[in-house]
C-alpha cells in the first residue's frame, strides 16, 4: 500500500526546526567571517604600507647616486629626481622623512621641536602607534622645498629653525599621491621635496 506524498505528515514539525538550526549555524559562520575579516584588514594595510615604503626607500637610495643641482648657482641644471607613489590608509595621520615631527606622540606636529632622524621614515596611526622605517645607506638629509615665482624649487626657509621644523619633510593625512624629490647641493647634499605640505 503506497503512501501519498501530500498526505504524509511524519516529520512535519522537524522541517522548521532544521531550518532554524541551519540559519543559526549560517549566522554563526557569517559572524566569524566578519570578525576574522576585521582582524585581517589591518594586517593587510600594514603589509601594503611596508611594501610602499620599501619601494620608496629604493627610489631614495638610487637618487643619492645621482647628479646634484647647485643651489648657489642660479642657472644650474636640475638635479636627479625620483617620484614616489604613496597611498596610505586614512588611519595614518602623518609621515615624516628624516624627522620625527611629533616626539611627544600627541598627534600634533607643530607643538614641539622636531627630532632629526636622518635615513628614517616615520609614520603614525590614529591609535598613537608610531612606526619607523630605516633606509640602510649613507646619510640622507631631507629638506622641505618651496616653489619660487620662476618655477624652481628651493629649501623652504619660512620654518622655525629653533624647533628644527626647517629640516626633514612631513606629509600630514591624507598621505596619497605622487611625491617628487630632487637631489640638491648647498653646504651639503639634500633630498629636496617638490610638493607643498
Amino acid at each position: 500500500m503506497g503512501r501519498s506524498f501530500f498526505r504524509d505528515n511524519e516529520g512535519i514539525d522537524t522541517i522548521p526546526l532544521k531550518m532554524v538550526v541551519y540559519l543559526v549555524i549560517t549566522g554563526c559562520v557569517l559572524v566569524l567571517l566578519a570578525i576574522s575579516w576585521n582582524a585581517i584588514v589591518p594586517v593587510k594595510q600594514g603589509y601594503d604600507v611596508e611594501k610602499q615604503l620599501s619601494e620608496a626607500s629604493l627610489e631614495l637610495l638610487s637618487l643619492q647616486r645621482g647628479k646634484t643641482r647647485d643651489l648657489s648657482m642660479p642657472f644650474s641644471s636640475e638635479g636627479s629626481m625620483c617620484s614616489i607613489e604613496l597611498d596610505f590608509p586614512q588611519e595614518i595621520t602623518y609621515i615624516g622623512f628624516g624627522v620625527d615631527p611629533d616626539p611627544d606622540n600627541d598627534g600634533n606636529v607643530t607643538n614641539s621641536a622636531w627630532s632629526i632622524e636622518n635615513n628614517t621614515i616615520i609614520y603614525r596611526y590614529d591609535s598613537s602607534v608610531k612606526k619607523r622605517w630605516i633606509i640602510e645607506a649613507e646619510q640622507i638629509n631631507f629638506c622641505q622645498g618651496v616653489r619660487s615665482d620662476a618655477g624652481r624649487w628651493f629649501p623652504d626657509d619660512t620654518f622655525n629653525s629653533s624647533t628644527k621644523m626647517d629640516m626633514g619633510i612631513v606629509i600630514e593625512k591624507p598621505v596619497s599621491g605622487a611625491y617628487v624629490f630632487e637631489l640638491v647641493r648647498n653646504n651639503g647634499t639634500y633630498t629636496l621635496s617638490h610638493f607643498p605640505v
Side-chain angles (χ1 to χ4, degrees):
M1 182 170 185
R3 296 192 311 184
S4 169
F5 177 76
F6 295 105
R7 293 186 186 156
D8 185 8
N9 292 340
E10 280 185 36
I12 198 162
D13 57 339
T14 62
I15 292 175
L17 183 61
K18 285 182 181 178
M19 286 183 67
V20 168
V21 169
Y22 291 148
L23 287 175
V24 167
I25 290 172
T26 304
C28 289
V29 168
L30 290 175
V31 166
L32 289 174
L33 284 174
I35 290 171
S36 46
W37 178 253
N38 288 336
I40 290 171
V41 167
V43 172
K44 183 187 178 315
Q45 287 178 340
Y47 171 77
D48 290 343
V49 167
E50 289 188 3
K51 181 178 177 212
Q52 292 176 55
L53 289 176
S54 175
E55 292 169 1
S57 58
L58 288 175
E59 288 285 337
L60 291 167
L61 282 173
S62 66
L63 178 67
Q64 303 311 306
R65 297 183 198 95
K67 178 184 76 141
T68 61
R69 172 169 56 112
D70 191 349
L71 295 177
S72 65
M73 300 176 64
F75 299 106
S76 66
S77 60
E78 287 185 336
S80 296
M81 290 193 214
C82 73
S83 178
I84 296 173
E85 294 278 339
L86 298 176
D87 187 19
F88 284 5
Q90 285 295 319
E91 292 81 22
I92 293 183
T93 55
Y94 66 78
I95 180 171
F97 290 88
V99 67
D100 182 358
D102 186 21
D104 54 3
N105 202 19
D106 66 352
N108 187 346
V109 299
T110 60
N111 67 348
S112 58
W114 291 3
S115 174
I116 305 304
E117 296 190 22
N118 294 318
N119 293 47
T120 305
I121 301 173
I122 297 173
Y123 57 102
R124 180 186 186 273
Y125 287 90
D126 287 332
S127 62
S128 299
V129 173
K130 192 186 294 186
K131 295 197 173 186
R132 285 172 167 73
W133 183 271
I134 307 296
I135 303 172
E136 300 290 338
E138 65 277 0
Q139 183 170 321
I140 301 174
N141 300 308
F142 291 95
C143 185
Q144 177 61 49
V146 63
R147 191 175 190 154
S148 70
D149 293 337
R152 296 187 63 122
W153 289 86
F154 294 96
D156 191 351
D157 58 0
T158 62
F159 289 108
N160 186 348
S161 61
S162 67
T163 59
K164 298 182 181 173
M165 290 182 185
D166 59 335
M167 301 297 294
I169 301 164
V170 177
I171 306 168
E172 293 187 76
K173 92 157 64 166
V175 181
S176 180
Y179 300 96
V180 177
F181 297 87
E182 179 187 12
L183 199 62
V184 298
R185 184 174 63 245
N186 185 25
N187 297 327
T189 303
Y190 293 90
T191 300
L192 183 73
S193 66
H194 278 218
F195 50 88
V197 290

